[in-house]
PDB file of all heavy atoms in Angstrom:
ATOM      1  N   SER T  57     -67.629  94.511 -49.048  1.00 87.00           N
ATOM      2  CA  SER T  57     -68.506  94.067 -47.966  1.00 87.00           C
ATOM      3  C   SER T  57     -69.820  93.496 -48.462  1.00 87.00           C
ATOM      4  O   SER T  57     -70.536  92.814 -47.726  1.00 87.00           O
ATOM      5  CB  SER T  57     -68.784  95.234 -47.015  1.00 87.00           C
ATOM      6  OG  SER T  57     -69.371  96.313 -47.730  1.00 87.00           O
ATOM      7  N   MET T  59     -72.153  92.132 -52.228  1.00 79.00           N
ATOM      8  CA  MET T  59     -72.039  91.607 -53.578  1.00 79.00           C
ATOM      9  C   MET T  59     -73.324  91.897 -54.334  1.00 79.00           C
ATOM     10  O   MET T  59     -74.416  91.939 -53.753  1.00 79.00           O
ATOM     11  CB  MET T  59     -71.738  90.112 -53.560  1.00 79.00           C
ATOM     12  CG  MET T  59     -72.712  89.281 -52.740  1.00 79.00           C
ATOM     13  SD  MET T  59     -72.183  87.596 -52.498  1.00 79.00           S
ATOM     14  CE  MET T  59     -72.002  87.036 -54.169  1.00 79.00           C
ATOM     15  N   THR T  85     -77.612  57.715 -23.593  1.00 54.00           N
ATOM     16  CA  THR T  85     -78.029  56.771 -24.633  1.00 54.00           C
ATOM     17  C   THR T  85     -79.326  57.202 -25.317  1.00 54.00           C
ATOM     18  O   THR T  85     -79.601  56.771 -26.426  1.00 54.00           O
ATOM     19  CB  THR T  85     -78.230  55.367 -24.029  1.00 54.00           C
ATOM     20  OG1 THR T  85     -79.164  55.455 -22.945  1.00 54.00           O
ATOM     21  CG2 THR T  85     -76.915  54.819 -23.505  1.00 54.00           C
ATOM     22  N   VAL T 114     -71.654  62.452 -51.355  1.00 96.00           N
ATOM     23  CA  VAL T 114     -70.801  61.261 -51.492  1.00 96.00           C
ATOM     24  C   VAL T 114     -70.681  60.617 -50.122  1.00 96.00           C
ATOM     25  O   VAL T 114     -70.055  61.165 -49.215  1.00 96.00           O
ATOM     26  CB  VAL T 114     -69.409  61.626 -52.042  1.00 96.00           C
ATOM     27  CG1 VAL T 114     -68.534  60.378 -52.140  1.00 96.00           C
ATOM     28  CG2 VAL T 114     -69.525  62.309 -53.401  1.00 96.00           C
ATOM     29  N   GLU T 130     -78.593  69.519 -60.068  1.00 91.00           N
ATOM     30  CA  GLU T 130     -79.241  70.818 -59.980  1.00 91.00           C
ATOM     31  C   GLU T 130     -80.161  70.813 -58.757  1.00 91.00           C
ATOM     32  O   GLU T 130     -80.891  69.860 -58.510  1.00 91.00           O
ATOM     33  CB  GLU T 130     -80.065  71.095 -61.244  1.00 91.00           C
ATOM     34  CG  GLU T 130     -79.269  71.096 -62.539  1.00 91.00           C
ATOM     35  CD  GLU T 130     -78.518  72.396 -62.763  1.00 91.00           C
ATOM     36  OE1 GLU T 130     -78.740  73.342 -61.966  1.00 91.00           O
ATOM     37  OE2 GLU T 130     -77.722  72.466 -63.721  1.00 91.00           O
ATOM     38  N   PHE T 176     -66.353  73.614 -54.511  1.00 97.00           N
ATOM     39  CA  PHE T 176     -65.941  73.439 -53.116  1.00 97.00           C
ATOM     40  C   PHE T 176     -66.224  72.001 -52.691  1.00 97.00           C
ATOM     41  O   PHE T 176     -67.137  71.353 -53.206  1.00 97.00           O
ATOM     42  CB  PHE T 176     -66.709  74.388 -52.186  1.00 97.00           C
ATOM     43  CG  PHE T 176     -66.447  75.840 -52.439  1.00 97.00           C
ATOM     44  CD1 PHE T 176     -67.326  76.581 -53.215  1.00 97.00           C
ATOM     45  CD2 PHE T 176     -65.333  76.464 -51.903  1.00 97.00           C
ATOM     46  CE1 PHE T 176     -67.102  77.928 -53.452  1.00 97.00           C
ATOM     47  CE2 PHE T 176     -65.098  77.808 -52.142  1.00 97.00           C
ATOM     48  CZ  PHE T 176     -65.981  78.541 -52.917  1.00 97.00           C
ATOM     49  N   LYS T 189     -51.672  57.812 -44.012  1.00 91.00           N
ATOM     50  CA  LYS T 189     -51.140  58.761 -43.046  1.00 91.00           C
ATOM     51  C   LYS T 189     -51.052  60.139 -43.690  1.00 91.00           C
ATOM     52  O   LYS T 189     -50.384  60.317 -44.693  1.00 91.00           O
ATOM     53  CB  LYS T 189     -49.754  58.315 -42.562  1.00 91.00           C
ATOM     54  CG  LYS T 189     -49.748  57.031 -41.754  1.00 91.00           C
ATOM     55  CD  LYS T 189     -50.470  57.217 -40.425  1.00 91.00           C
ATOM     56  CE  LYS T 189     -50.405  55.948 -39.572  1.00 91.00           C
ATOM     57  NZ  LYS T 189     -51.150  56.121 -38.305  1.00 91.00           N
ATOM     58  N   ILE T 230     -53.707  72.250 -46.944  1.00 95.00           N
ATOM     59  CA  ILE T 230     -53.045  72.128 -48.237  1.00 95.00           C
ATOM     60  C   ILE T 230     -53.973  72.526 -49.383  1.00 95.00           C
ATOM     61  O   ILE T 230     -53.524  72.919 -50.460  1.00 95.00           O
ATOM     62  CB  ILE T 230     -52.504  70.696 -48.439  1.00 95.00           C
ATOM     63  CG1 ILE T 230     -51.460  70.667 -49.571  1.00 95.00           C
ATOM     64  CG2 ILE T 230     -53.619  69.717 -48.710  1.00 95.00           C
ATOM     65  CD1 ILE T 230     -50.772  69.329 -49.724  1.00 95.00           C
ATOM     66  N   ASP T 243     -75.362  68.902 -31.316  1.00 80.00           N
ATOM     67  CA  ASP T 243     -76.657  69.231 -31.897  1.00 80.00           C
ATOM     68  C   ASP T 243     -76.767  70.697 -32.277  1.00 80.00           C
ATOM     69  O   ASP T 243     -77.499  71.050 -33.210  1.00 80.00           O
ATOM     70  CB  ASP T 243     -77.792  68.841 -30.941  1.00 80.00           C
ATOM     71  CG  ASP T 243     -77.589  69.396 -29.542  1.00 80.00           C
ATOM     72  OD1 ASP T 243     -76.460  69.785 -29.211  1.00 80.00           O
ATOM     73  OD2 ASP T 243     -78.567  69.426 -28.763  1.00 80.00           O
ATOM     74  N   ALA T 262     -64.486  86.813 -55.161  1.00 94.00           N
ATOM     75  CA  ALA T 262     -63.255  86.732 -55.953  1.00 94.00           C
ATOM     76  C   ALA T 262     -62.714  85.314 -55.926  1.00 94.00           C
ATOM     77  O   ALA T 262     -62.764  84.632 -54.893  1.00 94.00           O
ATOM     78  CB  ALA T 262     -62.193  87.701 -55.422  1.00 94.00           C
ATOM     79  N   SER T 289     -40.379  83.426 -56.569  1.00 69.00           N
ATOM     80  CA  SER T 289     -39.565  84.522 -56.041  1.00 69.00           C
ATOM     81  C   SER T 289     -40.074  85.882 -56.502  1.00 69.00           C
ATOM     82  O   SER T 289     -39.401  86.891 -56.329  1.00 69.00           O
ATOM     83  CB  SER T 289     -38.111  84.338 -56.491  1.00 69.00           C
ATOM     84  OG  SER T 289     -38.039  84.303 -57.913  1.00 69.00           O
ATOM     85  N   LEU T 394     -47.009  65.317 -31.658  1.00 88.00           N
ATOM     86  CA  LEU T 394     -46.998  64.240 -32.650  1.00 88.00           C
ATOM     87  C   LEU T 394     -45.857  63.265 -32.369  1.00 88.00           C
ATOM     88  O   LEU T 394     -46.034  62.042 -32.468  1.00 88.00           O
ATOM     89  CB  LEU T 394     -46.859  64.830 -34.052  1.00 88.00           C
ATOM     90  CG  LEU T 394     -46.754  63.819 -35.197  1.00 88.00           C
ATOM     91  CD1 LEU T 394     -48.007  62.959 -35.289  1.00 88.00           C
ATOM     92  CD2 LEU T 394     -46.515  64.544 -36.525  1.00 88.00           C
ATOM     93  N   ASP T 411     -55.156  59.777 -28.045  1.00 60.00           N
ATOM     94  CA  ASP T 411     -56.197  60.137 -27.101  1.00 60.00           C
ATOM     95  C   ASP T 411     -55.797  59.853 -25.661  1.00 60.00           C
ATOM     96  O   ASP T 411     -56.611  59.998 -24.755  1.00 60.00           O
ATOM     97  CB  ASP T 411     -57.493  59.378 -27.432  1.00 60.00           C
ATOM     98  CG  ASP T 411     -58.088  59.821 -28.761  1.00 60.00           C
ATOM     99  OD1 ASP T 411     -57.948  60.993 -29.105  1.00 60.00           O
ATOM    100  OD2 ASP T 411     -58.665  58.961 -29.447  1.00 60.00           O
ATOM    101  N   GLN T 480     -56.925  83.184 -41.869  1.00 95.00           N
ATOM    102  CA  GLN T 480     -57.646  84.410 -41.515  1.00 95.00           C
ATOM    103  C   GLN T 480     -59.105  84.303 -41.974  1.00 95.00           C
ATOM    104  O   GLN T 480     -59.634  85.153 -42.683  1.00 95.00           O
ATOM    105  CB  GLN T 480     -56.952  85.635 -42.114  1.00 95.00           C
ATOM    106  CG  GLN T 480     -55.516  85.797 -41.621  1.00 95.00           C
ATOM    107  CD  GLN T 480     -54.800  86.967 -42.240  1.00 95.00           C
ATOM    108  OE1 GLN T 480     -55.249  88.104 -42.107  1.00 95.00           O
ATOM    109  NE2 GLN T 480     -53.674  86.734 -42.908  1.00 95.00           N
ATOM    110  N   ASP T 522     -91.648  69.306 -29.771  1.00 50.00           N
ATOM    111  CA  ASP T 522     -92.501  69.323 -28.576  1.00 50.00           C
ATOM    112  C   ASP T 522     -93.969  69.170 -28.953  1.00 50.00           C
ATOM    113  O   ASP T 522     -94.709  68.430 -28.317  1.00 50.00           O
ATOM    114  CB  ASP T 522     -92.283  70.633 -27.812  1.00 50.00           C
ATOM    115  CG  ASP T 522     -90.904  70.720 -27.205  1.00 50.00           C
ATOM    116  OD1 ASP T 522     -90.257  69.669 -27.071  1.00 50.00           O
ATOM    117  OD2 ASP T 522     -90.462  71.840 -26.889  1.00 50.00           O
ATOM    118  N   LEU T 549    -119.322  41.553 -19.294  1.00 72.00           N
ATOM    119  CA  LEU T 549    -120.176  40.465 -19.774  1.00 72.00           C
ATOM    120  C   LEU T 549    -119.829  39.167 -19.064  1.00 72.00           C
ATOM    121  O   LEU T 549    -120.714  38.401 -18.659  1.00 72.00           O
ATOM    122  CB  LEU T 549    -120.003  40.315 -21.286  1.00 72.00           C
ATOM    123  CG  LEU T 549    -120.830  39.218 -21.959  1.00 72.00           C
ATOM    124  CD1 LEU T 549    -122.328  39.472 -21.780  1.00 72.00           C
ATOM    125  CD2 LEU T 549    -120.489  39.127 -23.439  1.00 72.00           C
TER     126      LEU T 549
END
Side-chain angles (χ1 to χ4, degrees):
S57 58
M59 54 190 302
T85 55
V114 179
E130 301 280 353
F176 296 97
K189 294 294 183 182
I230 197 174
D243 52 342
S289 58
L394 177 62
D411 293 327
Q480 300 178 59
D522 292 342
L549 180 61

